[in-house]
Amino acid sequence: MQSTSRQALHADQATYRDLVIFEERLRGNMTRLQRRKRKYEALLTGIIILLVYFFYVVFLAPSKDFIIHLLNTTALLVAAGSLVFIYRSGIYSEKIVFAGEFIPHCNRALRSFNLQFNRRGESGVLSFYRRIPLEIQQGFDAYRRQYYARKRARQAKQKVT
């Protein structure tokens, strides 16, 4: 019975390769979502700065020229409307909040496979729960190192040619 369960847990090179590719895909998705989150946060920051500026210009230091005051009021309404639109349309939750929930969401999905996706700095790494035998974990780590060494060698070779 013991040998049958060992054979079922045996992982070959194709399995390790698939896991490394899956890890790269998760890392790429995380990076793409973080980049998109930064863009939308910058947009929100810009809108809030414009909102504060036009609030100041319209209410605290209004222009004596009616046309300028009307333009400032219109710009204030456009900035406020843009901010409301971003929150009410779901852009905020879709583009900003979801990026922050990506790793916990992945880990909930990966839990049934005894895997987790850990963030390390700007990167992410796929790791196993302790229930997975140590030899499989070590085999995957060794394959991952070899895979990235081959990938770096290919990239260096392409740069030379």
Side-chain angles (χ1 to χ4, degrees):
M1 188 74 179
Q2 181 80 1
S3 64
T4 320
S5 64
R6 286 267 183 218
Q7 288 175 348
L9 291 175
H10 176 71
D12 59 355
Q13 297 294 318
T15 304
Y16 293 147
R17 183 180 58 85
D18 290 343
L19 283 171
V20 169
I21 291 170
F22 181 65
E23 177 184 59
E24 282 187 334
R25 178 71 55 93
L26 288 175
R27 189 179 306 120
N29 287 343
M30 181 189 69
T31 303
R32 182 179 47 80
L33 288 171
Q34 291 298 325
R35 198 174 319 130
R36 185 170 68 180
K37 176 184 175 185
R38 282 192 294 274
K39 287 179 185 176
Y40 277 93
E41 285 175 337
L43 174 69
L44 275 177
T45 302
I47 290 173
I48 290 172
I49 288 170
L50 286 174
L51 196 62
V52 169
Y53 171 75
F54 286 118
F55 182 84
Y56 174 79
V57 171
V58 169
F59 294 111
L60 301 177
S63 174
K64 293 178 180 34
D65 187 8
F66 177 73
I67 300 295
I68 301 294
H69 182 70
L70 188 62
L71 289 173
N72 288 337
T73 304
T74 304
L76 175 66
L77 290 173
V78 167
S82 298
L83 193 61
V84 168
F85 173 75
I86 286 173
Y87 281 102
R88 295 290 297 163
S89 68
I91 290 175
Y92 176 78
S93 62
E94 179 185 331
K95 308 290 186 192
I96 295 175
V97 174
F98 181 72
E101 294 175 352
F102 178 72
I103 292 178
H105 179 73
C106 282
N107 286 334
R108 279 191 299 274
L110 292 171
R111 186 177 303 138
S112 62
F113 299 104
N114 291 321
L115 292 169
Q116 62 184 5
F117 187 64
N118 299 317
R119 183 170 185 173
R120 292 189 183 155
E122 290 296 315
S123 183
V125 193
L126 201 59
S127 61
F128 295 95
Y129 283 149
R130 295 177 191 228
R131 292 180 218 139
I132 301 297
L134 191 58
E135 54 268 6
I136 291 179
Q137 294 179 34
Q138 291 171 343
F140 176 65
D141 289 337
Y143 184 85
R144 181 193 293 149
R145 284 191 300 275
Q146 290 173 351
Y147 178 86
Y148 287 118
R150 287 191 309 261
K151 187 175 179 178
R152 281 190 300 273
R154 270 194 317 269
Q155 288 173 345
K157 186 178 178 182
Q158 287 177 347
K159 284 183 180 180
V160 172
T161 58

PDB file of all heavy atoms in Angstrom, residues 80-116:
ATOM      1  N   ALA A  80     -15.791  66.152 -10.175  1.00  0.00           N
ATOM      2  CA  ALA A  80     -16.628  65.442  -9.197  1.00  0.00           C
ATOM      3  C   ALA A  80     -17.411  64.319  -9.880  1.00  0.00           C
ATOM      4  O   ALA A  80     -17.521  63.214  -9.345  1.00  0.00           O
ATOM      5  CB  ALA A  80     -17.577  66.421  -8.511  1.00  0.00           C
ATOM      6  N   GLY A  81     -17.935  64.604 -11.064  1.00  0.00           N
ATOM      7  CA  GLY A  81     -18.665  63.575 -11.807  1.00  0.00           C
ATOM      8  C   GLY A  81     -17.776  62.405 -12.193  1.00  0.00           C
ATOM      9  O   GLY A  81     -18.197  61.245 -12.146  1.00  0.00           O
ATOM     10  N   SER A  82     -16.534  62.701 -12.569  1.00  0.00           N
ATOM     11  CA  SER A  82     -15.580  61.630 -12.917  1.00  0.00           C
ATOM     12  C   SER A  82     -15.300  60.746 -11.709  1.00  0.00           C
ATOM     13  O   SER A  82     -15.252  59.519 -11.829  1.00  0.00           O
ATOM     14  CB  SER A  82     -14.275  62.231 -13.425  1.00  0.00           C
ATOM     15  OG  SER A  82     -14.492  62.971 -14.589  1.00  0.00           O
ATOM     16  N   LEU A  83     -15.128  61.373 -10.568  1.00  0.00           N
ATOM     17  CA  LEU A  83     -14.863  60.610  -9.349  1.00  0.00           C
ATOM     18  C   LEU A  83     -16.057  59.724  -8.995  1.00  0.00           C
ATOM     19  O   LEU A  83     -15.893  58.533  -8.681  1.00  0.00           O
ATOM     20  CB  LEU A  83     -14.537  61.562  -8.208  1.00  0.00           C
ATOM     21  CG  LEU A  83     -13.943  60.966  -6.958  1.00  0.00           C
ATOM     22  CD1 LEU A  83     -12.610  60.299  -7.268  1.00  0.00           C
ATOM     23  CD2 LEU A  83     -13.748  62.037  -5.902  1.00  0.00           C
ATOM     24  N   VAL A  84     -17.252  60.280  -9.083  1.00  0.00           N
ATOM     25  CA  VAL A  84     -18.463  59.501  -8.800  1.00  0.00           C
ATOM     26  C   VAL A  84     -18.597  58.368  -9.813  1.00  0.00           C
ATOM     27  O   VAL A  84     -18.918  57.233  -9.453  1.00  0.00           O
ATOM     28  CB  VAL A  84     -19.704  60.416  -8.803  1.00  0.00           C
ATOM     29  CG1 VAL A  84     -20.989  59.605  -8.806  1.00  0.00           C
ATOM     30  CG2 VAL A  84     -19.669  61.347  -7.610  1.00  0.00           C
ATOM     31  N   PHE A  85     -18.342  58.661 -11.092  1.00  0.00           N
ATOM     32  CA  PHE A  85     -18.441  57.639 -12.130  1.00  0.00           C
ATOM     33  C   PHE A  85     -17.485  56.486 -11.860  1.00  0.00           C
ATOM     34  O   PHE A  85     -17.860  55.311 -12.004  1.00  0.00           O
ATOM     35  CB  PHE A  85     -18.147  58.252 -13.507  1.00  0.00           C
ATOM     36  CG  PHE A  85     -18.073  57.233 -14.597  1.00  0.00           C
ATOM     37  CD1 PHE A  85     -19.229  56.648 -15.102  1.00  0.00           C
ATOM     38  CD2 PHE A  85     -16.855  56.830 -15.117  1.00  0.00           C
ATOM     39  CE1 PHE A  85     -19.171  55.688 -16.095  1.00  0.00           C
ATOM     40  CE2 PHE A  85     -16.784  55.875 -16.112  1.00  0.00           C
ATOM     41  CZ  PHE A  85     -17.943  55.302 -16.604  1.00  0.00           C
ATOM     42  N   ILE A  86     -16.255  56.782 -11.471  1.00  0.00           N
ATOM     43  CA  ILE A  86     -15.259  55.733 -11.215  1.00  0.00           C
ATOM     44  C   ILE A  86     -15.725  54.813 -10.092  1.00  0.00           C
ATOM     45  O   ILE A  86     -15.599  53.597 -10.176  1.00  0.00           O
ATOM     46  CB  ILE A  86     -13.878  56.352 -10.928  1.00  0.00           C
ATOM     47  CG1 ILE A  86     -13.280  56.869 -12.233  1.00  0.00           C
ATOM     48  CG2 ILE A  86     -12.941  55.352 -10.264  1.00  0.00           C
ATOM     49  CD1 ILE A  86     -11.994  57.648 -12.077  1.00  0.00           C
ATOM     50  N   TYR A  87     -16.293  55.389  -9.044  1.00  0.00           N
ATOM     51  CA  TYR A  87     -16.748  54.559  -7.932  1.00  0.00           C
ATOM     52  C   TYR A  87     -18.052  53.829  -8.246  1.00  0.00           C
ATOM     53  O   TYR A  87     -18.193  52.643  -7.942  1.00  0.00           O
ATOM     54  CB  TYR A  87     -16.922  55.403  -6.665  1.00  0.00           C
ATOM     55  CG  TYR A  87     -15.601  55.685  -5.994  1.00  0.00           C
ATOM     56  CD1 TYR A  87     -14.978  56.912  -6.140  1.00  0.00           C
ATOM     57  CD2 TYR A  87     -14.966  54.718  -5.240  1.00  0.00           C
ATOM     58  CE1 TYR A  87     -13.763  57.168  -5.542  1.00  0.00           C
ATOM     59  CE2 TYR A  87     -13.752  54.959  -4.637  1.00  0.00           C
ATOM     60  CZ  TYR A  87     -13.157  56.194  -4.790  1.00  0.00           C
ATOM     61  OH  TYR A  87     -11.949  56.428  -4.198  1.00  0.00           O
ATOM     62  N   ARG A  88     -19.003  54.505  -8.861  1.00  0.00           N
ATOM     63  CA  ARG A  88     -20.307  53.901  -9.103  1.00  0.00           C
ATOM     64  C   ARG A  88     -20.297  52.867 -10.224  1.00  0.00           C
ATOM     65  O   ARG A  88     -21.090  51.930 -10.213  1.00  0.00           O
ATOM     66  CB  ARG A  88     -21.355  54.983  -9.424  1.00  0.00           C
ATOM     67  CG  ARG A  88     -21.646  55.936  -8.298  1.00  0.00           C
ATOM     68  CD  ARG A  88     -22.375  55.314  -7.182  1.00  0.00           C
ATOM     69  NE  ARG A  88     -23.675  54.875  -7.690  1.00  0.00           N
ATOM     70  CZ  ARG A  88     -24.444  54.028  -7.093  1.00  0.00           C
ATOM     71  NH1 ARG A  88     -24.101  53.504  -5.957  1.00  0.00           N
ATOM     72  NH2 ARG A  88     -25.607  53.675  -7.603  1.00  0.00           N
ATOM     73  N   SER A  89     -19.418  53.038 -11.204  1.00  0.00           N
ATOM     74  CA  SER A  89     -19.394  52.104 -12.331  1.00  0.00           C
ATOM     75  C   SER A  89     -18.670  50.802 -12.001  1.00  0.00           C
ATOM     76  O   SER A  89     -18.721  49.859 -12.785  1.00  0.00           O
ATOM     77  CB  SER A  89     -18.734  52.759 -13.537  1.00  0.00           C
ATOM     78  OG  SER A  89     -17.362  52.958 -13.285  1.00  0.00           O
ATOM     79  N   GLY A  90     -17.986  50.764 -10.885  1.00  0.00           N
ATOM     80  CA  GLY A  90     -17.268  49.552 -10.511  1.00  0.00           C
ATOM     81  C   GLY A  90     -15.828  49.536 -10.983  1.00  0.00           C
ATOM     82  O   GLY A  90     -15.115  48.556 -10.765  1.00  0.00           O
ATOM     83  N   ILE A  91     -15.393  50.603 -11.630  1.00  0.00           N
ATOM     84  CA  ILE A  91     -13.992  50.652 -12.089  1.00  0.00           C
ATOM     85  C   ILE A  91     -13.054  50.576 -10.901  1.00  0.00           C
ATOM     86  O   ILE A  91     -12.041  49.882 -10.941  1.00  0.00           O
ATOM     87  CB  ILE A  91     -13.742  51.933 -12.916  1.00  0.00           C
ATOM     88  CG1 ILE A  91     -14.468  51.843 -14.249  1.00  0.00           C
ATOM     89  CG2 ILE A  91     -12.252  52.156 -13.139  1.00  0.00           C
ATOM     90  CD1 ILE A  91     -14.388  53.099 -15.086  1.00  0.00           C
ATOM     91  N   TYR A  92     -13.406  51.261  -9.810  1.00  0.00           N
ATOM     92  CA  TYR A  92     -12.545  51.257  -8.631  1.00  0.00           C
ATOM     93  C   TYR A  92     -12.379  49.845  -8.088  1.00  0.00           C
ATOM     94  O   TYR A  92     -11.264  49.369  -7.877  1.00  0.00           O
ATOM     95  CB  TYR A  92     -13.119  52.176  -7.552  1.00  0.00           C
ATOM     96  CG  TYR A  92     -12.325  52.141  -6.268  1.00  0.00           C
ATOM     97  CD1 TYR A  92     -11.132  52.827  -6.161  1.00  0.00           C
ATOM     98  CD2 TYR A  92     -12.767  51.409  -5.177  1.00  0.00           C
ATOM     99  CE1 TYR A  92     -10.391  52.786  -4.992  1.00  0.00           C
ATOM    100  CE2 TYR A  92     -12.040  51.370  -4.010  1.00  0.00           C
ATOM    101  CZ  TYR A  92     -10.853  52.058  -3.923  1.00  0.00           C
ATOM    102  OH  TYR A  92     -10.119  52.001  -2.778  1.00  0.00           O
ATOM    103  N   SER A  93     -13.480  49.142  -7.905  1.00  0.00           N
ATOM    104  CA  SER A  93     -13.380  47.792  -7.333  1.00  0.00           C
ATOM    105  C   SER A  93     -12.769  46.812  -8.326  1.00  0.00           C
ATOM    106  O   SER A  93     -12.035  45.906  -7.942  1.00  0.00           O
ATOM    107  CB  SER A  93     -14.742  47.297  -6.865  1.00  0.00           C
ATOM    108  OG  SER A  93     -15.624  47.202  -7.948  1.00  0.00           O
ATOM    109  N   GLU A  94     -13.036  47.010  -9.616  1.00  0.00           N
ATOM    110  CA  GLU A  94     -12.516  46.087 -10.620  1.00  0.00           C
ATOM    111  C   GLU A  94     -11.024  46.278 -10.859  1.00  0.00           C
ATOM    112  O   GLU A  94     -10.276  45.310 -10.975  1.00  0.00           O
ATOM    113  CB  GLU A  94     -13.266  46.286 -11.937  1.00  0.00           C
ATOM    114  CG  GLU A  94     -12.798  45.396 -13.052  1.00  0.00           C
ATOM    115  CD  GLU A  94     -13.502  45.721 -14.361  1.00  0.00           C
ATOM    116  OE1 GLU A  94     -14.650  46.182 -14.322  1.00  0.00           O
ATOM    117  OE2 GLU A  94     -12.886  45.505 -15.412  1.00  0.00           O
ATOM    118  N   LYS A  95     -10.573  47.501 -10.928  1.00  0.00           N
ATOM    119  CA  LYS A  95      -9.190  47.774 -11.307  1.00  0.00           C
ATOM    120  C   LYS A  95      -8.250  47.931 -10.117  1.00  0.00           C
ATOM    121  O   LYS A  95      -7.071  47.614 -10.221  1.00  0.00           O
ATOM    122  CB  LYS A  95      -9.102  49.057 -12.151  1.00  0.00           C
ATOM    123  CG  LYS A  95     -10.028  49.106 -13.331  1.00  0.00           C
ATOM    124  CD  LYS A  95      -9.630  48.144 -14.399  1.00  0.00           C
ATOM    125  CE  LYS A  95     -10.520  48.353 -15.624  1.00  0.00           C
ATOM    126  NZ  LYS A  95     -10.431  47.340 -16.594  1.00  0.00           N
ATOM    127  N   ILE A  96      -8.743  48.415  -9.005  1.00  0.00           N
ATOM    128  CA  ILE A  96      -7.855  48.707  -7.870  1.00  0.00           C
ATOM    129  C   ILE A  96      -7.989  47.664  -6.768  1.00  0.00           C
ATOM    130  O   ILE A  96      -7.010  47.087  -6.320  1.00  0.00           O
ATOM    131  CB  ILE A  96      -8.113  50.129  -7.342  1.00  0.00           C
ATOM    132  CG1 ILE A  96      -7.734  51.140  -8.429  1.00  0.00           C
ATOM    133  CG2 ILE A  96      -7.335  50.391  -6.072  1.00  0.00           C
ATOM    134  CD1 ILE A  96      -8.053  52.567  -8.104  1.00  0.00           C
ATOM    135  N   VAL A  97      -9.207  47.403  -6.333  1.00  0.00           N
ATOM    136  CA  VAL A  97      -9.409  46.478  -5.216  1.00  0.00           C
ATOM    137  C   VAL A  97      -9.053  45.050  -5.615  1.00  0.00           C
ATOM    138  O   VAL A  97      -8.406  44.324  -4.855  1.00  0.00           O
ATOM    139  CB  VAL A  97     -10.862  46.573  -4.696  1.00  0.00           C
ATOM    140  CG1 VAL A  97     -11.135  45.522  -3.641  1.00  0.00           C
ATOM    141  CG2 VAL A  97     -11.127  47.958  -4.143  1.00  0.00           C
ATOM    142  N   PHE A  98      -9.441  44.639  -6.823  1.00  0.00           N
ATOM    143  CA  PHE A  98      -9.178  43.269  -7.248  1.00  0.00           C
ATOM    144  C   PHE A  98      -7.686  42.959  -7.293  1.00  0.00           C
ATOM    145  O   PHE A  98      -7.274  41.847  -6.979  1.00  0.00           O
ATOM    146  CB  PHE A  98      -9.805  42.987  -8.611  1.00  0.00           C
ATOM    147  CG  PHE A  98      -9.587  41.576  -9.077  1.00  0.00           C
ATOM    148  CD1 PHE A  98     -10.256  40.530  -8.478  1.00  0.00           C
ATOM    149  CD2 PHE A  98      -8.687  41.289 -10.089  1.00  0.00           C
ATOM    150  CE1 PHE A  98     -10.056  39.226  -8.882  1.00  0.00           C
ATOM    151  CE2 PHE A  98      -8.476  39.984 -10.504  1.00  0.00           C
ATOM    152  CZ  PHE A  98      -9.166  38.952  -9.896  1.00  0.00           C
ATOM    153  N   ALA A  99      -6.868  43.944  -7.670  1.00  0.00           N
ATOM    154  CA  ALA A  99      -5.422  43.714  -7.711  1.00  0.00           C
ATOM    155  C   ALA A  99      -4.882  43.388  -6.318  1.00  0.00           C
ATOM    156  O   ALA A  99      -3.987  42.556  -6.171  1.00  0.00           O
ATOM    157  CB  ALA A  99      -4.708  44.933  -8.277  1.00  0.00           C
ATOM    158  N   GLY A 100      -5.432  44.010  -5.303  1.00  0.00           N
ATOM    159  CA  GLY A 100      -5.006  43.717  -3.940  1.00  0.00           C
ATOM    160  C   GLY A 100      -5.495  42.377  -3.430  1.00  0.00           C
ATOM    161  O   GLY A 100      -4.909  41.782  -2.527  1.00  0.00           O
ATOM    162  N   GLU A 101      -6.566  41.883  -4.018  1.00  0.00           N
ATOM    163  CA  GLU A 101      -7.136  40.603  -3.587  1.00  0.00           C
ATOM    164  C   GLU A 101      -6.672  39.433  -4.454  1.00  0.00           C
ATOM    165  O   GLU A 101      -7.127  38.309  -4.262  1.00  0.00           O
ATOM    166  CB  GLU A 101      -8.663  40.680  -3.642  1.00  0.00           C
ATOM    167  CG  GLU A 101      -9.260  41.656  -2.668  1.00  0.00           C
ATOM    168  CD  GLU A 101     -10.755  41.795  -2.842  1.00  0.00           C
ATOM    169  OE1 GLU A 101     -11.302  41.256  -3.821  1.00  0.00           O
ATOM    170  OE2 GLU A 101     -11.372  42.444  -1.989  1.00  0.00           O
ATOM    171  N   PHE A 102      -5.776  39.681  -5.395  1.00  0.00           N
ATOM    172  CA  PHE A 102      -5.371  38.630  -6.337  1.00  0.00           C
ATOM    173  C   PHE A 102      -4.692  37.456  -5.629  1.00  0.00           C
ATOM    174  O   PHE A 102      -5.039  36.302  -5.855  1.00  0.00           O
ATOM    175  CB  PHE A 102      -4.443  39.216  -7.410  1.00  0.00           C
ATOM    176  CG  PHE A 102      -3.949  38.195  -8.388  1.00  0.00           C
ATOM    177  CD1 PHE A 102      -4.807  37.661  -9.336  1.00  0.00           C
ATOM    178  CD2 PHE A 102      -2.644  37.739  -8.354  1.00  0.00           C
ATOM    179  CE1 PHE A 102      -4.376  36.708 -10.241  1.00  0.00           C
ATOM    180  CE2 PHE A 102      -2.193  36.794  -9.253  1.00  0.00           C
ATOM    181  CZ  PHE A 102      -3.062  36.274 -10.193  1.00  0.00           C
ATOM    182  N   ILE A 103      -3.728  37.730  -4.774  1.00  0.00           N
ATOM    183  CA  ILE A 103      -2.987  36.642  -4.112  1.00  0.00           C
ATOM    184  C   ILE A 103      -3.888  35.849  -3.163  1.00  0.00           C
ATOM    185  O   ILE A 103      -3.890  34.615  -3.221  1.00  0.00           O
ATOM    186  CB  ILE A 103      -1.725  37.179  -3.427  1.00  0.00           C
ATOM    187  CG1 ILE A 103      -0.748  37.640  -4.512  1.00  0.00           C
ATOM    188  CG2 ILE A 103      -1.087  36.128  -2.530  1.00  0.00           C
ATOM    189  CD1 ILE A 103       0.521  38.246  -4.010  1.00  0.00           C
ATOM    190  N   PRO A 104      -4.686  36.490  -2.292  1.00  0.00           N
ATOM    191  CA  PRO A 104      -5.604  35.679  -1.472  1.00  0.00           C
ATOM    192  C   PRO A 104      -6.596  34.870  -2.314  1.00  0.00           C
ATOM    193  O   PRO A 104      -6.914  33.728  -1.974  1.00  0.00           O
ATOM    194  CB  PRO A 104      -6.336  36.710  -0.607  1.00  0.00           C
ATOM    195  CG  PRO A 104      -5.432  37.882  -0.574  1.00  0.00           C
ATOM    196  CD  PRO A 104      -4.706  37.889  -1.876  1.00  0.00           C
ATOM    197  N   HIS A 105      -7.056  35.451  -3.412  1.00  0.00           N
ATOM    198  CA  HIS A 105      -7.972  34.734  -4.304  1.00  0.00           C
ATOM    199  C   HIS A 105      -7.278  33.511  -4.909  1.00  0.00           C
ATOM    200  O   HIS A 105      -7.866  32.424  -4.967  1.00  0.00           O
ATOM    201  CB  HIS A 105      -8.447  35.698  -5.397  1.00  0.00           C
ATOM    202  CG  HIS A 105      -9.367  35.084  -6.392  1.00  0.00           C
ATOM    203  ND1 HIS A 105     -10.672  34.765  -6.105  1.00  0.00           N
ATOM    204  CD2 HIS A 105      -9.170  34.712  -7.679  1.00  0.00           C
ATOM    205  CE1 HIS A 105     -11.236  34.229  -7.164  1.00  0.00           C
ATOM    206  NE2 HIS A 105     -10.350  34.182  -8.140  1.00  0.00           N
ATOM    207  N   CYS A 106      -6.039  33.682  -5.361  1.00  0.00           N
ATOM    208  CA  CYS A 106      -5.270  32.549  -5.903  1.00  0.00           C
ATOM    209  C   CYS A 106      -5.088  31.471  -4.846  1.00  0.00           C
ATOM    210  O   CYS A 106      -5.235  30.286  -5.129  1.00  0.00           O
ATOM    211  CB  CYS A 106      -3.894  33.013  -6.368  1.00  0.00           C
ATOM    212  SG  CYS A 106      -3.901  33.845  -7.933  1.00  0.00           S
ATOM    213  N   ASN A 107      -4.744  31.889  -3.651  1.00  0.00           N
ATOM    214  CA  ASN A 107      -4.474  30.914  -2.597  1.00  0.00           C
ATOM    215  C   ASN A 107      -5.730  30.136  -2.204  1.00  0.00           C
ATOM    216  O   ASN A 107      -5.643  28.955  -1.877  1.00  0.00           O
ATOM    217  CB  ASN A 107      -3.837  31.592  -1.395  1.00  0.00           C
ATOM    218  CG  ASN A 107      -2.393  31.944  -1.662  1.00  0.00           C
ATOM    219  OD1 ASN A 107      -1.737  31.307  -2.492  1.00  0.00           O
ATOM    220  ND2 ASN A 107      -1.898  32.955  -0.999  1.00  0.00           N
ATOM    221  N   ARG A 108      -6.888  30.773  -2.262  1.00  0.00           N
ATOM    222  CA  ARG A 108      -8.130  30.022  -1.996  1.00  0.00           C
ATOM    223  C   ARG A 108      -8.343  28.960  -3.070  1.00  0.00           C
ATOM    224  O   ARG A 108      -8.767  27.846  -2.780  1.00  0.00           O
ATOM    225  CB  ARG A 108      -9.319  30.977  -1.945  1.00  0.00           C
ATOM    226  CG  ARG A 108      -9.474  31.684  -0.619  1.00  0.00           C
ATOM    227  CD  ARG A 108     -10.802  32.405  -0.514  1.00  0.00           C
ATOM    228  NE  ARG A 108     -10.998  33.437  -1.512  1.00  0.00           N
ATOM    229  CZ  ARG A 108     -10.583  34.698  -1.394  1.00  0.00           C
ATOM    230  NH1 ARG A 108      -9.936  35.072  -0.299  1.00  0.00           N
ATOM    231  NH2 ARG A 108     -10.811  35.577  -2.350  1.00  0.00           N
ATOM    232  N   ALA A 109      -8.039  29.310  -4.324  1.00  0.00           N
ATOM    233  CA  ALA A 109      -8.217  28.339  -5.416  1.00  0.00           C
ATOM    234  C   ALA A 109      -7.154  27.244  -5.371  1.00  0.00           C
ATOM    235  O   ALA A 109      -7.424  26.094  -5.707  1.00  0.00           O
ATOM    236  CB  ALA A 109      -8.161  29.056  -6.758  1.00  0.00           C
ATOM    237  N   LEU A 110      -5.941  27.585  -4.956  1.00  0.00           N
ATOM    238  CA  LEU A 110      -4.836  26.622  -4.950  1.00  0.00           C
ATOM    239  C   LEU A 110      -4.830  25.723  -3.720  1.00  0.00           C
ATOM    240  O   LEU A 110      -4.135  24.702  -3.705  1.00  0.00           O
ATOM    241  CB  LEU A 110      -3.498  27.365  -5.037  1.00  0.00           C
ATOM    242  CG  LEU A 110      -3.202  28.067  -6.350  1.00  0.00           C
ATOM    243  CD1 LEU A 110      -1.951  28.933  -6.216  1.00  0.00           C
ATOM    244  CD2 LEU A 110      -3.028  27.058  -7.455  1.00  0.00           C
ATOM    245  N   ARG A 111      -5.565  26.092  -2.693  1.00  0.00           N
ATOM    246  CA  ARG A 111      -5.555  25.333  -1.435  1.00  0.00           C
ATOM    247  C   ARG A 111      -5.916  23.870  -1.657  1.00  0.00           C
ATOM    248  O   ARG A 111      -5.316  22.975  -1.064  1.00  0.00           O
ATOM    249  CB  ARG A 111      -6.521  25.968  -0.442  1.00  0.00           C
ATOM    250  CG  ARG A 111      -6.457  25.326   0.934  1.00  0.00           C
ATOM    251  CD  ARG A 111      -7.372  26.010   1.926  1.00  0.00           C
ATOM    252  NE  ARG A 111      -7.057  27.432   2.017  1.00  0.00           N
ATOM    253  CZ  ARG A 111      -7.984  28.394   2.070  1.00  0.00           C
ATOM    254  NH1 ARG A 111      -9.264  28.100   2.045  1.00  0.00           N
ATOM    255  NH2 ARG A 111      -7.615  29.654   2.148  1.00  0.00           N
ATOM    256  N   SER A 112      -6.871  23.599  -2.541  1.00  0.00           N
ATOM    257  CA  SER A 112      -7.283  22.213  -2.768  1.00  0.00           C
ATOM    258  C   SER A 112      -6.187  21.392  -3.450  1.00  0.00           C
ATOM    259  O   SER A 112      -6.225  20.171  -3.428  1.00  0.00           O
ATOM    260  CB  SER A 112      -8.564  22.170  -3.595  1.00  0.00           C
ATOM    261  OG  SER A 112      -8.339  22.747  -4.857  1.00  0.00           O
ATOM    262  N   PHE A 113      -5.197  22.060  -4.041  1.00  0.00           N
ATOM    263  CA  PHE A 113      -4.072  21.365  -4.672  1.00  0.00           C
ATOM    264  C   PHE A 113      -2.835  21.355  -3.771  1.00  0.00           C
ATOM    265  O   PHE A 113      -1.748  20.990  -4.211  1.00  0.00           O
ATOM    266  CB  PHE A 113      -3.717  22.033  -6.005  1.00  0.00           C
ATOM    267  CG  PHE A 113      -4.834  21.996  -6.990  1.00  0.00           C
ATOM    268  CD1 PHE A 113      -5.586  23.127  -7.241  1.00  0.00           C
ATOM    269  CD2 PHE A 113      -5.159  20.826  -7.654  1.00  0.00           C
ATOM    270  CE1 PHE A 113      -6.630  23.105  -8.145  1.00  0.00           C
ATOM    271  CE2 PHE A 113      -6.199  20.795  -8.557  1.00  0.00           C
ATOM    272  CZ  PHE A 113      -6.938  21.931  -8.799  1.00  0.00           C
ATOM    273  N   ASN A 114      -3.009  21.795  -2.522  1.00  0.00           N
ATOM    274  CA  ASN A 114      -1.913  21.877  -1.556  1.00  0.00           C
ATOM    275  C   ASN A 114      -0.792  22.786  -2.051  1.00  0.00           C
ATOM    276  O   ASN A 114       0.386  22.514  -1.848  1.00  0.00           O
ATOM    277  CB  ASN A 114      -1.358  20.488  -1.206  1.00  0.00           C
ATOM    278  CG  ASN A 114      -2.347  19.676  -0.407  1.00  0.00           C
ATOM    279  OD1 ASN A 114      -3.031  20.209   0.464  1.00  0.00           O
ATOM    280  ND2 ASN A 114      -2.455  18.401  -0.708  1.00  0.00           N
ATOM    281  N   LEU A 115      -1.172  23.865  -2.709  1.00  0.00           N
ATOM    282  CA  LEU A 115      -0.229  24.864  -3.209  1.00  0.00           C
ATOM    283  C   LEU A 115      -0.625  26.225  -2.680  1.00  0.00           C
ATOM    284  O   LEU A 115      -1.774  26.459  -2.319  1.00  0.00           O
ATOM    285  CB  LEU A 115      -0.254  24.920  -4.745  1.00  0.00           C
ATOM    286  CG  LEU A 115       0.277  23.723  -5.498  1.00  0.00           C
ATOM    287  CD1 LEU A 115      -0.079  23.836  -6.970  1.00  0.00           C
ATOM    288  CD2 LEU A 115       1.782  23.633  -5.339  1.00  0.00           C
ATOM    289  N   GLN A 116       0.346  27.122  -2.655  1.00  0.00           N
ATOM    290  CA  GLN A 116       0.049  28.513  -2.349  1.00  0.00           C
ATOM    291  C   GLN A 116       0.984  29.412  -3.137  1.00  0.00           C
ATOM    292  O   GLN A 116       2.082  29.000  -3.519  1.00  0.00           O
ATOM    293  CB  GLN A 116       0.141  28.795  -0.856  1.00  0.00           C
ATOM    294  CG  GLN A 116       1.494  28.592  -0.234  1.00  0.00           C
ATOM    295  CD  GLN A 116       1.437  28.798   1.270  1.00  0.00           C
ATOM    296  OE1 GLN A 116       0.376  28.994   1.841  1.00  0.00           O
ATOM    297  NE2 GLN A 116       2.578  28.765   1.901  1.00  0.00           N
TER     298      GLN A 116
END
